[in-house]
Amino acid sequence: MRLKTKLVLAITALVFLIAGLLSLVYVVQLLHSAVQQSYDTNRMVANQVQFAVRNALETGLQDRKVDPNNPAELRNLAGEAVRNNSALQAVVESVNRYSLTVYDIDIGDSQSITLLSTNPDNEDKPLPVRPNYQQLRDASAYQLLRTVYGQPRVYDVVVPLDRNGEPFVTVHVGVRTTLLRAFYAPWLSGALTLMGLVLGAALVASFLLSNLALRPMEQISRQLDLLSAPSGMVLEEGKTLNQDTALRVSTKIRQFGQRMRNVEEVFSALKENLDQILGNLQDGILLFTGDGRAVLVSEAARRFLLIEQDTILGLHARDIFNRSTVLGRTLREAFDAGITLIQEEILTETGRRIQVSLDFIHDDETQQGLGALLTLHDLESAEAIESELELSRRMAAIGRLTSGVGHEVKNPINAIVVHIELLKSKLSGASAPAMRHLEVIEAEIHRLDRVVQMLVDFSRPVELQLREQDLRTVIGDVLALAAAELSTRNVTLESEMPLKPLLASFDADLLKQAALNVIQNGAQAMPEGGTLRVVLEEERKFALLRIADQGPGIPDDIREKIFDLYFTTKSGGSGIGLAMTYRILQLHYGSIEVQSSPERGTEFLLRIPLAAAEWGRRLLQPASALLGERPSE
């Protein structure tokens, strides 16, 4: 079946449905109106008959004496007055003869005995039991249609004539549904005629609409041919002629859709790679169009401009750069004047040194401005990275040195220990001073052996047991483990954990050791007690663990040496704890920083990369190599 035929049938069916529903509603409303009009007319008829009955009773009982204690006599007199009143009979006969919907009229007494009826067979008999006409008037549309067009039934319109507050005579006007149906028939005929005209007009309109709807499809098909011609997507001529217009257009659109999906996949992959590259850059990069609007913003740019990345996109340069700051004023003036900045160093209000490069891009042929590229480089971060690299190189050199020295010293120590044991056995029974000297020598040799063993352990390759897990659980275990020791030192532990999980791939045992080393150092820095605050939070693509004490702080002259192997200011300290913590974080591609002042104490900041999907997953390789094998760390 061709599309045109389907469209004609669909429009026709839709219009038929709408017209049919509207016509049905119209027919039902007409029937309700007919029933209501019939009720009002017959109610008026009943009131007229009631008035005639009242006059007949007043005339017939005017000079009659009635015993109030004899109701039967009163009913008999009322019956005679009603039956013998010619005016009442004339009213009843005329109403019954000329009313379109009245089936019969019955006048009954208080005992429901018929006094007068248009049907003589009903007189002196009980009134017929019929439903009240109000039930038909208040019926639903379905019940109304079913009653009027169903089996013939008679409904009564009842009007009572009261005496002393009680019904004395009642007037019953019977309405037959067949008569109501005949009364309603002309209205129904007009409604059906109108429905037929509407449906016929709908059929004609559907044909016209289908032709109008399909006419633009030919133009769309020709435009698609023009668009697809350069790419070789035009269908073969023979197949095109044999296809329906809609099918032909659908085929071409499907081809274009596939082509656009392919382009979208390539674009999505390129955008994802670009976002990942920009997200990992430490420098801020902003790309502007020819009219000065930002279309590309790196994640690091918001740290320089103190504006959220999403709000920068689409803004004009004059809306991005704030003249109230040194950086914003410099960039705004350069943009307004079109001046190129080449590695311009700017000192901000906070003392931060930023290197700025602004290049304007022009078309070589027309010299028309195409846009601008802004690069923001943090000189302090670069120096910090160089310092960290220098520390890594020193750690690597120490690792290579200690790896060889440790093994070379271990063997002579073992030989010395053996010979001391032999010497002690030969000097058994000798003077006590000589034995004490040997014991001192033996104790120092054992202490030297432990130091060498720690040196060997530090330089030994580490096999990471990486597993993606929640950092909150691991840090919680560390706090539970350190709580007892902290309480003995009169140190109060305060902790703050995020509500949502922080998932990362790490070795739980090594990370516990790193955190525990820093917590123990913080507790040891407060010999008189204090508060140790541990906060775990999310910072972009890293989990940040803050460990702050209230100690005297670290002097500036030794702050850069605290991560050096064997450097310690504590008596009895080994100088390996912080160096091991530094190495563990390097193995996890993290970092550790320290901030210290005599007023606020010392705060260590441990950063661990998160395994969030939006940042991509960095493959953590088992660090089976020594620090010397990765000098860049």
Side-chain angles (χ1 to χ4, degrees), residues 126-131 154 156:
L127 289 170
V129 178
R130 298 169 180 172
V154 179
D156 274 352

Side-chain angles (χ1 to χ4, degrees), residues 224-374:
L224 290 175
D225 288 338
L226 294 177
L227 291 174
S228 60
S231 302
M233 294 176 56
V234 182
L235 296 176
E236 297 180 5
E237 188 66 24
K239 295 182 179 179
T240 303
L241 295 177
N242 294 330
Q243 285 183 347
D244 190 17
T245 302
L247 180 60
R248 194 163 63 245
V249 173
S250 177
T251 302
K252 295 176 183 179
I253 292 176
R254 186 171 61 254
Q255 292 175 345
F256 272 109
Q258 182 61 41
R259 185 181 179 186
M260 292 179 65
R261 283 192 294 272
N262 295 337
V263 174
E264 184 180 0
E265 291 176 0
V266 175
F267 173 76
S268 299
L270 291 176
K271 185 177 182 300
E272 183 178 354
N273 293 334
L274 181 61
D275 290 342
Q276 187 172 2
I277 292 173
L278 293 178
N280 293 328
L281 286 178
Q282 296 298 323
D283 293 344
I285 296 178
L286 292 92
L287 182 63
F288 295 88
T289 59
D291 59 351
R293 297 191 178 277
V295 293
L296 181 64
V297 181
S298 69
E299 175 66 22
R302 68 178 182 86
R303 300 200 306 271
F304 292 94
L305 302 175
L306 302 179
I307 305 177
E308 291 296 331
Q309 178 184 4
D310 295 338
T311 60
I312 298 179
L313 288 174
L315 292 180
H316 197 275
R318 60 175 172 267
D319 300 324
I320 298 175
F321 305 124
N322 189 354
R323 286 184 177 272
S324 62
T325 63
V326 177
L327 177 62
R329 184 167 55 254
T330 303
L331 294 175
R332 178 70 179 276
E333 293 174 354
F335 258 96
D336 293 342
I339 301 174
T340 300
L341 301 178
I342 302 176
Q343 295 183 352
E344 183 81 14
E345 184 173 333
I346 298 175
L347 183 63
T348 65
E349 295 84 350
T350 60
R352 188 178 182 185
R353 295 165 50 225
I354 299 177
Q355 189 180 81
V356 178
S357 296
L358 177 61
D359 296 323
F360 290 93
I361 306 170
H362 298 86
D363 190 347
D364 294 337
E365 296 181 358
T366 62
Q367 297 301 317
Q368 182 181 1
L370 301 179
L373 178 64
L374 174 63

Side-chain angles (χ1 to χ4, degrees), residues 4-255:
K4 184 175 182 180
T5 305
K6 293 180 181 179
L7 193 59
V8 170
L9 293 177
I11 296 176
T12 304
L14 180 61
V15 176
F16 264 64
L17 178 62
I18 296 175
L21 290 176
L22 293 177
S23 299
L24 181 60
V25 173
Y26 178 63
V27 168
V28 171
Q29 291 298 325
L30 285 179
L31 183 57
H32 271 292
S33 299
V35 172
Q36 182 65 41
Q37 182 176 348
S38 176
Y39 174 78
D40 295 339
T41 302
N42 294 320
R43 178 77 180 186
M44 183 176 63
V45 168
N47 289 332
Q48 292 176 354
V49 174
Q50 180 201 40
F51 181 75
V53 170
R54 184 188 301 273
N55 290 336
L57 290 176
E58 290 176 354
T59 302
L61 300 178
Q62 184 175 7
D63 298 327
R64 308 292 294 270
K65 294 182 179 180
V66 181
D67 185 4
N69 296 323
N70 191 355
E73 182 183 359
L74 181 60
R75 286 197 303 272
N76 292 334
L77 292 176
E80 291 178 3
V82 168
R83 294 190 187 98
N84 297 330
N85 191 285
S86 58
L88 174 61
Q89 292 180 356
V91 170
V92 171
E93 290 296 333
S94 63
V95 168
N96 186 49
R97 179 176 300 176
Y98 296 107
S99 179
L100 298 178
T101 58
V102 173
Y103 175 69
D104 61 2
I105 298 176
D106 296 316
I107 301 174
D109 60 8
S110 59
Q111 300 297 320
S112 297
I113 302 299
T114 304
L115 300 177
L116 181 65
S117 175
T118 55
N119 185 2
D121 295 337
N122 291 342
E123 292 183 2
D124 296 327
K125 293 181 181 179
L127 289 170
V129 178
R130 298 169 180 172
N132 197 305
Y133 193 87
Q134 289 184 352
Q135 297 180 7
L136 183 62
R137 186 191 62 176
D138 299 334
S140 63
Y142 172 74
Q143 294 174 343
L144 195 60
L145 288 172
R146 184 177 178 182
T147 302
V148 173
Y149 291 95
Q151 295 293 329
R153 298 184 65 182
V154 179
Y155 289 82
D156 274 352
V157 176
V158 181
V159 176
L161 180 63
D162 296 338
R163 177 178 175 271
N164 297 329
E166 294 182 358
F168 180 62
V169 176
T170 56
V171 178
H172 296 257
V173 177
V175 181
R176 191 176 177 86
T177 55
T178 53
L179 299 177
L180 185 62
R181 187 189 313 166
F183 174 75
Y184 173 66
W187 294 11
L188 179 61
S189 177
L192 293 178
T193 302
L194 180 60
M195 184 188 302
L197 292 176
V198 171
L199 295 180
L203 183 61
V204 175
S206 64
F207 279 104
L208 296 178
L209 289 176
S210 62
N211 289 327
L212 291 176
L214 291 177
R215 185 176 300 172
M217 297 192 71
E218 290 292 342
Q219 299 178 359
I220 295 173
S221 179
R222 288 193 294 269
Q223 292 296 327
L224 290 175
D225 288 338
L226 294 177
L227 291 174
S228 60
S231 302
M233 294 176 56
V234 182
L235 296 176
E236 297 180 5
E237 188 66 24
K239 295 182 179 179
T240 303
L241 295 177
N242 294 330
Q243 285 183 347
D244 190 17
T245 302
L247 180 60
R248 194 163 63 245
V249 173
S250 177
T251 302
K252 295 176 183 179
I253 292 176
R254 186 171 61 254
Q255 292 175 345

Side-chain angles (χ1 to χ4, degrees), residues 395-408:
M395 295 287 289
I398 293 173
R400 289 193 297 270
L401 178 63
T402 55
S403 177
V405 172
H407 290 289
E408 292 297 329

